């Protein structure tokens, strides 16, 4: 029975030029989206490789400077920068990067908005954290034409076109009475047709995703779970839309009403609910990043020419870090009082600023938590979030990266400051255990729950339609 | 006759429950968007004003200080919310909101509000502009897709024609009736929503503002009129209501989703922005080594010293009546500003090239024309944001010049820590205040969009008018 329906549906689909054209157009869009995403991410990878190469060159230069001929001014300066902690603590820059994960090319997500790398020195931490990558704001506003866009925005439209006339077209073509006299129930027949549509859309979505996996260079060995979850999320999202259209169809209205209702719901889920929600959140949970602006100010000790003032700053810092004070008190402040003062000031300032940043991050997190509560009525955004979580291009992944920076900065401080306060030069051997940044791993926590929620909604909508259909047919 | 047709259509529209429902939804969204727009506008404006005032107070109250330390203490400039931005947020979430102004280095704008959000904000922000640009055309489609197809399907078209009504009369009657419905919905809603927000915001009434509002109203009115004509035209030629609706929905999605996204993506593929790191490295290089045909930093300094010695007939810098160090510092700032301007211009060129595709695509999708014009008129577009950057960096240069010149005349060469000016000098530097460019100068950059919208308003009614005789009857 099912195979018969499929065969006829396939024949019917092939004859419908509009539908075939739509599938082809969508496939072309999908392929372009994969190319586009791959280019975006390749660009980011290139910048990141440059940042790491710059860091490598910088430190290779320091190590080479140990063999420098210090009788020449330039080489002497290089030697000083490499060995003298009073210079090195603020000059040596360490790259902290958030390299794009393998699926990032399929959903660029927030990666075009948030920086993917930082260069950190032993200076104040927050002063170094708020530089953005150059971007075209108009482009940011419009968003990325990546595969996730095709899947989240355009695929539902194909689903609507394929199935809004599921029942109404039969009636409008005068076939419905014929169907009623068949042995199989109309509901089973329609289910068969729905299943055919689902198969078609799923094949397209899975096909595009698999091409995307290949282009993005995802490997089955390392990313198998993420790839599987990606496919399941895409399928669950398709199922949601089919279930929704099924529910609309079950009311047995004419084609135009069905199409209007379906497009109305598409608009509701893709535009109205998300934009209403973000507008409401902006009012209910305002986040004020203007408070962060002053953190980037390059402040220093105002009266640096006053030795007492500088000593007081150093003492205040060493009070918190007694481990940095050398055992003989004489060398505590001299030589190099001023660099020690600046270094102390930088760290004290970082401590003072920490609550401001924490407050900001807390406000962002609170807003996100509140937004998450609405995921049930916000399936498109939930799906986008799930996909970008799998690709590591969502806001939480960036925030985890951002929040791992203070610990790394502390490692840098702990590398230079004991040498600065202990008046010990850096040696060539020291460089072999200089700090190295480790990017926090991606987490798939919550993906399962999000996926389950999407499926439950789909099943619920489908069930409603299933029960509603016979009643409406009897009318 | 025309009157009768219009009346008939109005009655039909009022009886159509779906249209009525959707119309009410749009009106409600418009009201909600304006309310939310006003609240967040007022909130952000207060935030920005407060931050600006706090930084100004810090600057003035920084105490007695060596001028060089003061130039590094610097100050901040915050982007104020423009008066009309509660209606159209434009690029406000994606352009940085503040910049740090200090010596030796021109920082970029930081803190894009969209960075505080997850993917949610990329689905769009509810604003009056969004409702008008995207949702209202859909309402028009819902209202008019059956204009002719329903008459044909129910057989009333032939009936009407047999009564001596021409197809042209019928078409225009319908266009005017639907346009009337749209205006009847919009005018009171907008008057309440925007008028209320306007009144609350207490914007000063200027000729510039009036021009902006009038042009906004005209642009949207033209956009909707073209849409009504398009819908009636499609309905007249479609074989069934279902097909008319499908065609119009396809057009709508192509206009408002597919074309803008594709144009922006292709523009980005064609022209690449440098990375921030490469951009600043290039500026540093030009400052250190000099612009093409110019000498290095050290060479420029030597040249400057020679020029001053000649001017004051002095043999050494110690004999100069002013402290040469500070003049050299200011010359460094001037040079940095020159280099920066060149680089910012080339960056602007890339941005404009990237966006050019979207500009020309507005001939294809009038949504883009209206979107860009609306952003331009509300001062939330790229050109206004770049103009703000220019004004901020000009302010930085003036700020540095005033401090450096003051120090040059109040200290002697070889001294570094001796001169400590205080609040009187800090307060003598005027606070930054942004002047929105006149609407005419902004619009000059939007000629293609204006032309595209004009064509939209002229070509569609013309096409409708010319083709009415050939509308199929069955």
């Amino acid at each position: 029975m099912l195979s018969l329906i499929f065969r006829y549906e396939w024949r019917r689909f092939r004859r419908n030029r509009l539908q075939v054209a739509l599938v082809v157009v969508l496939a072309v869009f999908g392929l372009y989206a994969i190319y586009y995403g791959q280019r975006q991410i390749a660009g980011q990878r290139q910048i990141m490789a440059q940042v790491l190469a710059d860091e490598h060159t910088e430190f290779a230069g320091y190590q080479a400077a140990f063999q420098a001929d210090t009788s020449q001014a330039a080489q002497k300066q290089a030697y000083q920068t490499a060995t003298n902690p009073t210079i090195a603590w603020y000059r040596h820059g360490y790259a902290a990067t958030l390299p794009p994960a393998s699926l990032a090319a399929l959903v660029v997500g927030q990666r075009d908005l948030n920086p993917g790398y930082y260069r950190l020195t032993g200076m104040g931490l927050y002063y170094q954290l708020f530089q953005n990558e150059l971007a075209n704001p108009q482009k940011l506003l419009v968003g990325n034409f990546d595969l996730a866009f095709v899947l989240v925005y355009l695929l539902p439209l194909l689903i609507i076109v394929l199935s809004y006339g599921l029942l109404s077209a039969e009636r409008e073509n005068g076939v419905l009475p014929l169907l009623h006299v068949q042995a199989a129930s109309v509901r089973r027949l329609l289910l068969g047709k729905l299943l055919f549509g689902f198969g078609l859309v799923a094949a397209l979505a899975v096909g595009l995703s698999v091409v995307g996996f290949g282009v993005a260079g995802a490997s089955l060995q390392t990313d198998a779970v993420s790839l599987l979850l990606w496919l399941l999320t895409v399928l669950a999202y398709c199922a949601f839309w089919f279930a929704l259209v099924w529910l609309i169809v079950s009311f047995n209205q004419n084609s135009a009403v069905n199409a209007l209702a379906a497009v109305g719901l598409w608009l509701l889920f893709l535009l109205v609910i998300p934009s209403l929600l973000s507008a409401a959140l902006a009012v209910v949970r305002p986040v004020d990043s203007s408070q962060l602006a002053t953190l980037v100010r390059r402040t220093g000790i105002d009266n640096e020419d006053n030795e007492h003032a500088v000593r007081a700053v150093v003492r205040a810092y060493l009070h918190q870090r007694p481990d940095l004070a050398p055992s003989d008190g004489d060398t505590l402040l001299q030589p190099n009082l001023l660099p020690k003062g600046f270094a102390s000031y930088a760290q004290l300032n970082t401590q003072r600023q920490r609550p401001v940043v924490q407050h900001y991050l807390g406000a962002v997190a609170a807003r996100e938590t509140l937004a998450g509560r609405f995921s049930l009525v916000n399936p498109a955004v939930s799906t986008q979030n799930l996909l970008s979580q799998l690709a590591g291009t969502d806001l939480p992944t960036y925030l985890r990266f951002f929040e791992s920076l203070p610990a790394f900065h502390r490692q840098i401080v702990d590398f230079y400051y004991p040498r600065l306060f202990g008046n010990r030069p850096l040696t060539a051997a020291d460089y072999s255990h200089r700090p190295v940044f480790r990017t926090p791993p991606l987490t798939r926590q919550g993906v399962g729950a999000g996926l389950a929620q999407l499926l439950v909604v789909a099943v619920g909508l489908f069930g409603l339609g299933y029960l509603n259909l016979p009643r409406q047919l009897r009318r | 006759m025309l009157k009768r047709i219009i009346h008939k259509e109005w009655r039909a529209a009022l009886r159509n429950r779906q249209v009525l429902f959707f119309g009410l939804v749009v009106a409600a969204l418009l009201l909600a968007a304006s309310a939310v727009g006003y609240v967040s506008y007022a909130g952000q404006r207060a935030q920005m004003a407060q931050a600006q005032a706090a930084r100004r107070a810090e600057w003035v109250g920084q105490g007695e200080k060596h001028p060089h330390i003061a130039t590094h203490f610097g100050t901040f400039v915050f982007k104020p919310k423009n008066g009309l931005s509660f209606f159209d947020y434009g690029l406000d979430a994606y352009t940085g909101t503040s910049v740090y102004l200090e010596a030796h280095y021109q920082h970029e704008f930081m803190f894009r509000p969209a960075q505080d959000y997850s993917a949610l904000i990329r689905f769009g922000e509810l604003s009056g502009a969004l409702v008008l640009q995207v949702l209202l055309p859909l309402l028009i489609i819902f209202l008019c897709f059956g204009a002719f197809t329903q008459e044909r399907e129910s057989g009333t078209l032939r009936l009407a024609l047999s009564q001596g009504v021409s197809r042209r009369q019928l078409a225009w009657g319908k266009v005017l009736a639907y346009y009337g419905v749209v205006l009847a919905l919009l005018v009171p809603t907008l008057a309440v929503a925007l008028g209320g927000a306007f009144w609350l915001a207490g914007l000063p009434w200027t000729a510039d503002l009036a021009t902006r509002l009038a042009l906004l109203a005209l642009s949207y009115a033209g956009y909707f009129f073209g849409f009504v004509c398009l819908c009636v035209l499609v309905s007249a030629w479609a074989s069934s209501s279902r097909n008319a609706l499908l065609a119009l929905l396809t057009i709508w999605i192509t206009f408002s989703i597919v074309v803008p996204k594709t144009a922006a993506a292709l523009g980005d593929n064609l022209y690449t922005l440098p990375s921030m790191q490469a951009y600043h490295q290039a500026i540093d290089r030009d400052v250190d080594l000099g612009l093409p045909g110019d000498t290095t930093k050290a060479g420029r300094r030597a040249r400057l010293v020679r020029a001053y010695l000649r001017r004051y007939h002095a043999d050494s810098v110690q004999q100069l009546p002013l402290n040469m160090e500070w003049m050299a510092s200011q010359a460094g700032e001037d040079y940095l500003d020159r280099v920066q301007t060149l680089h910012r211009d080339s960056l602007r060129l890339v941005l404009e090239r990237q966006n050019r595709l979207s500009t020309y695509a507005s001939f294809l999708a009038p949504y883009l024309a209206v979107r860009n014009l609306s952003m331009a008129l509300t001062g939330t577009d790229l050109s206004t944001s770049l103009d703000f950057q220019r004004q901020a960096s000009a302010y930085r240069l003036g700020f540095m010049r005033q401090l450096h010149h003051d120090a040059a005349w109040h200290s002697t060469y070889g001294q570094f820590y001796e001169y400590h000016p205080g609040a009187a000098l800090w307060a003598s530097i005027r606070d930054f205040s942004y002047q929105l460019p006149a609407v005419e100068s902004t619009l000059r950059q939007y000629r293609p969009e204006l032309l595209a919208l004009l064509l939209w308003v002229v070509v569609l009614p013309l096409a409708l008018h010319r083709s009415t005789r050939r509308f199929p009857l069955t």
Side-chain angles (χ1 to χ4, degrees):
Chain A
M1 173 71 191
L2 204 60
S3 68
L4 193 71
I5 297 177
F6 277 17
R7 223 174 322 133
Y8 275 94
E9 280 300 302
W10 173 245
R11 214 177 283 171
R12 189 139 79 161
F13 166 72
R14 272 188 16 203
R15 274 195 221 130
N16 188 329
R17 286 220 201 109
L18 178 77
Q19 293 185 356
V20 174
L22 236 142
V23 170
V24 172
V25 166
L26 220 58
V28 172
F29 278 164
L31 293 176
Y32 171 69
I34 293 168
Y35 160 78
Y36 168 86
Q38 181 63 16
R39 263 195 67 156
Q40 293 289 309
I41 296 299
Q44 293 187 7
R45 286 209 174 95
Q46 204 183 345
I47 292 175
M48 221 151 280
Q50 188 59 47
V51 169
L52 290 171
D54 285 354
E55 187 203 13
H56 187 260
T57 315
E58 184 182 335
F59 278 93
Y62 298 146
Q63 269 165 320
F66 280 93
Q67 273 83 47
D69 171 11
T70 49
S71 61
Q72 290 179 344
Q75 296 211 28
K76 185 174 178 188
Q77 200 185 355
Y79 179 78
Q80 284 291 331
T81 311
T83 60
N84 190 346
T86 64
I87 301 171
W89 77 274
Y90 69 89
R91 277 277 177 87
H92 292 188
Y94 289 82
T97 60
L98 178 63
S102 44
L103 290 181
L106 306 189
V107 45
V108 178
Q110 304 297 90
R111 278 202 75 107
D112 55 350
L113 204 53
N114 293 316
Y117 64 89
Y118 293 93
R119 180 182 181 271
L120 296 183
T121 68
M123 287 195 278
L125 171 65
Y126 298 113
Y127 159 72
Q128 311 175 53
L129 290 192
F130 297 103
Q131 180 82 279
N132 277 324
E133 195 44 72
L134 290 173
N136 181 344
Q138 193 166 311
K139 166 76 197 327
L140 291 177
L141 171 74
V142 177
N144 288 297
F145 198 117
D146 52 12
L147 188 60
F149 162 71
V150 173
L151 296 176
V152 171
Y153 273 83
L154 303 184
L155 212 58
L157 293 170
L158 176 67
I159 294 172
I160 291 170
V161 169
L162 285 179
S163 37
Y164 78 99
L166 210 54
L167 177 60
S168 51
E170 305 286 3
R171 196 183 46 236
E172 283 152 22
N173 297 338
V175 190
L176 193 60
L178 290 178
L179 296 181
H180 272 298
V181 298
Q182 300 289 317
S185 78
V186 173
R187 184 162 69 179
R188 275 189 64 189
L189 197 79
L190 294 182
L191 273 179
K193 286 154 74 84
L194 192 74
L195 204 60
F196 172 81
F198 183 77
L200 193 74
V201 172
L204 180 67
V206 170
L208 283 174
S209 298
V210 170
V211 172
F213 296 160
V215 173
S219 91
L220 264 183
Q221 275 108 38
T222 52
D223 309 315
V225 181
S226 296
L227 300 190
L228 186 68
L229 284 172
W230 172 286
L231 292 178
L232 287 176
T233 307
V234 170
L235 290 177
Y237 184 65
C238 291
F240 164 80
W241 277 102
F242 271 106
L244 195 64
V245 181
W246 168 253
L247 179 62
I248 294 171
V249 164
S250 77
F251 281 94
N252 197 10
Q253 299 282 325
N254 68 46
S255 292
V257 173
N258 286 353
L260 282 180
V263 171
L265 286 171
W266 180 86
L267 197 70
L268 185 73
F269 289 125
L270 269 309
L271 189 76
V272 176
I273 289 183
S275 65
L276 252 176
L277 193 58
S278 64
L281 286 173
V283 171
V284 181
R285 293 263 186 288
V287 172
D288 185 1
S289 60
S290 70
Q291 296 296 317
L292 298 177
T294 79
L295 303 187
V296 304
R297 175 174 258 160
R298 202 198 306 266
T299 47
I301 306 172
D302 279 349
N303 36 0
E304 60 187 42
D305 48 331
N306 179 341
E307 204 180 301
H308 285 295
V310 180
R311 278 170 186 268
V313 172
V314 177
R315 285 212 191 85
Y317 179 56
L318 289 180
H319 187 67
Q320 296 178 9
R321 292 291 306 264
D323 57 305
L324 289 177
S327 45
D328 58 329
D330 298 344
T331 57
L332 180 62
L333 297 171
Q334 294 291 3
N336 305 325
L337 175 64
L338 208 51
K340 286 173 184 170
F342 286 147
S344 301
Y345 181 86
Q347 297 321 311
L348 289 171
N349 207 23
T350 302
Q351 286 168 21
R352 267 196 299 277
Q353 293 173 337
R354 186 160 294 139
V356 181
V357 179
Q358 294 297 348
H359 177 77
Y360 166 77
L361 292 173
V364 171
R367 181 149 79 181
E368 276 313 293
T369 314
L370 188 59
R373 296 237 176 89
F374 293 90
S375 62
L376 204 64
V377 291
N378 203 3
V381 175
S382 311
T383 304
Q384 174 80 21
N385 280 336
L386 288 176
L387 294 178
S388 49
Q389 185 183 350
L390 290 170
T393 56
D394 56 340
L395 180 70
T397 302
Y398 168 73
L399 289 178
R400 267 199 309 282
F401 166 60
F402 188 84
E403 284 169 29
S404 74
L405 296 173
F408 180 55
H409 182 252
R410 169 125 188 162
Q411 284 182 38
I412 299 173
V413 168
D414 285 346
F415 184 70
Y416 290 97
Y417 280 41
R419 291 173 174 82
L420 173 66
F421 285 92
N423 307 310
R424 283 182 285 128
L426 284 147
T427 65
D430 285 342
Y431 279 94
S432 60
H433 46 263
R434 69 187 179 89
V436 177
F437 181 71
R438 272 179 237 298
T439 312
L442 290 185
T443 159
R444 288 190 285 264
Q445 200 190 350
V447 174
L451 190 55
Q453 192 186 48
L454 203 55
L455 279 173
V456 167
V457 173
V459 170
L461 291 173
F462 177 79
L464 283 178
Y466 191 82
L467 296 176
N468 186 36
L469 183 66
R471 271 198 326 211
Q472 300 290 342
L473 278 176
R474 257 179 266 128
R475 275 194 304 138
Chain B
M1 194 68 222
L2 206 58
K3 240 188 216 164
R4 262 196 228 164
I5 300 171
I6 294 176
H7 278 233
K8 180 246 156 198
E9 290 299 331
W10 274 348
R11 272 200 300 278
L14 279 176
R15 260 187 238 140
N16 186 338
R17 258 192 269 151
Q18 281 156 6
V19 167
L20 207 62
F21 172 73
F22 195 72
L24 289 178
V25 169
V26 168
L29 280 173
L30 209 51
L31 288 171
S34 304
V36 165
Y38 173 72
V39 173
S40 57
Y41 157 80
Q44 284 180 49
R45 198 165 71 146
Q47 268 176 20
M48 292 300 142
Q50 197 189 350
Q52 184 77 55
R55 300 296 85 80
R56 174 69 182 175
E58 272 174 13
W59 168 255
V60 175
Q62 63 180 316
E64 290 190 356
K65 206 178 260 187
H66 182 256
H68 189 68
I69 295 177
T71 57
H72 275 299
F73 184 74
T75 191
F76 292 80
V77 158
F78 291 85
K79 195 164 182 243
K81 291 290 279 182
N82 283 327
L84 291 172
S85 66
F86 63 78
F87 168 69
D88 189 344
Y89 307 152
L91 304 179
D92 276 2
Y94 298 95
T95 49
T97 47
S98 69
V99 66
Y100 173 34
L101 307 179
E102 65 161 336
H104 307 323
Y105 191 83
Q106 172 70 70
H107 290 269
E108 299 302 320
F109 274 77
M110 295 187 194
F111 305 109
R112 304 176 178 135
Q115 288 177 305
D116 320 334
Y117 281 91
S118 67
L120 182 65
I121 199 167
R122 312 302 284 273
F123 283 72
E125 298 165 275
L126 184 73
S127 67
L130 182 83
V131 174
L132 294 189
Q133 287 164 18
V134 180
L135 297 188
L136 212 89
L138 196 65
L139 175 69
I140 294 175
I141 293 176
F142 283 14
L143 185 67
C144 334
F145 75 93
F148 274 88
T149 49
Q150 266 164 13
E151 301 261 11
R152 270 203 302 269
E153 280 154 11
S154 59
T156 45
L157 182 60
R158 273 173 183 281
L159 218 60
L161 294 183
S162 69
Q163 302 289 313
V165 183
S166 78
R167 272 170 280 195
R168 183 169 283 172
Q169 272 176 325
L170 207 55
W172 281 114
K174 280 171 186 289
V175 167
L176 293 178
Y178 297 138
Y179 196 54
V181 171
V182 172
L183 292 185
L185 177 78
L186 272 190
V187 173
T189 317
L190 280 177
V192 170
L194 297 184
F198 218 77
W199 178 68
L200 282 171
L203 294 178
W205 188 256
T206 61
D208 189 67
L209 189 65
T211 318
R212 282 169 190 273
L213 278 175
L215 286 171
L216 269 178
L218 260 177
S219 308
Y220 281 105
Y223 178 56
F224 300 144
F225 186 69
F227 244 106
V228 171
C229 292
L230 174 77
C231 290
V232 173
L233 190 64
V234 169
S235 183
W237 285 97
S239 57
S240 68
S241 292
R242 191 176 134 183
N243 285 352
L245 182 63
L246 219 57
L248 286 169
L249 288 177
T250 311
I251 292 174
W252 172 71
I253 281 161
T254 312
F255 276 6
S256 49
I257 307 278
V258 177
V259 172
K261 204 91 161 179
T262 316
L266 286 175
D268 190 73
N269 283 160
L270 290 175
Y271 306 99
T272 317
L273 283 171
S275 75
M276 183 65 100
Q277 199 169 11
Y279 178 69
H280 278 289
Q281 279 166 358
I283 290 174
D284 291 347
R285 203 174 39 241
D286 279 351
V287 168
D288 286 343
L289 305 179
L291 290 165
D294 211 340
T295 66
T296 62
K297 203 171 182 174
R300 296 195 306 269
R301 190 191 152 89
R303 195 172 58 197
L304 184 78
V305 171
R306 276 198 305 276
Y308 268 93
L309 292 180
R310 253 201 317 278
R311 189 193 297 173
Y312 290 100
H313 308 291
D315 301 323
S316 69
V317 285
Q318 281 82 3
Q319 294 172 1
L320 290 172
L322 43 67
N323 186 343
M324 191 59 223
E325 272 318 321
W326 293 109
M327 298 319 283
S329 289
Q330 185 50 39
E333 294 296 344
D334 290 336
Y335 202 77
L336 172 65
D337 191 69
R338 238 179 89 195
V339 171
Q340 186 87 35
T341 305
L342 283 174
H343 283 266
R344 215 183 21 230
D345 281 351
S346 68
L347 199 64
R348 197 195 64 216
L349 213 63
V350 178
L351 292 176
E352 283 173 357
R353 280 187 180 141
Q354 286 188 340
N355 294 342
R356 198 174 296 156
L357 216 57
S358 301
T359 297
Y360 289 128
S362 56
F363 286 98
L364 212 65
Y367 159 76
L368 283 171
V370 169
R371 184 197 73 183
N372 293 354
L373 285 174
S374 177
M375 289 198 295
L377 291 169
T378 50
T380 56
D381 62 330
L382 185 66
S383 81
T384 309
S385 149
L386 293 175
D387 178 71
F388 180 72
Q389 280 182 25
R390 260 192 303 274
Q391 290 193 27
S393 76
Y395 176 75
R396 188 193 81 91
L397 194 63
F399 178 91
M400 293 299 150
R401 182 175 294 130
Q402 205 171 330
L403 288 173
H404 286 147
H405 284 194
D406 170 80
W409 292 101
H410 289 95
S411 64
T412 44
Y413 188 80
Q415 286 184 343
F416 189 73
Y417 282 128
E418 278 74 357
Y419 178 53
H420 281 89
L425 176 63
W426 314 144
S428 75
I429 294 172
R430 68 171 176 90
D431 197 7
F432 177 79
S433 83
Y434 177 61
Q435 296 303 320
L436 197 65
V439 61
E440 292 82 10
S441 75
T442 307
L443 276 185
R444 222 163 283 144
Q445 300 164 55
Y446 288 89
R447 283 196 189 117
E449 280 90 347
L450 286 168
L451 186 63
L453 197 60
L454 195 68
L455 281 178
W456 173 251
V457 181
V458 171
V459 168
L460 277 166
L462 213 64
L464 184 70
H465 192 75
R466 308 272 308 209
S467 68
T468 44
R469 279 175 206 290
R470 281 170 286 133
F471 287 164
L473 292 176
T474 47

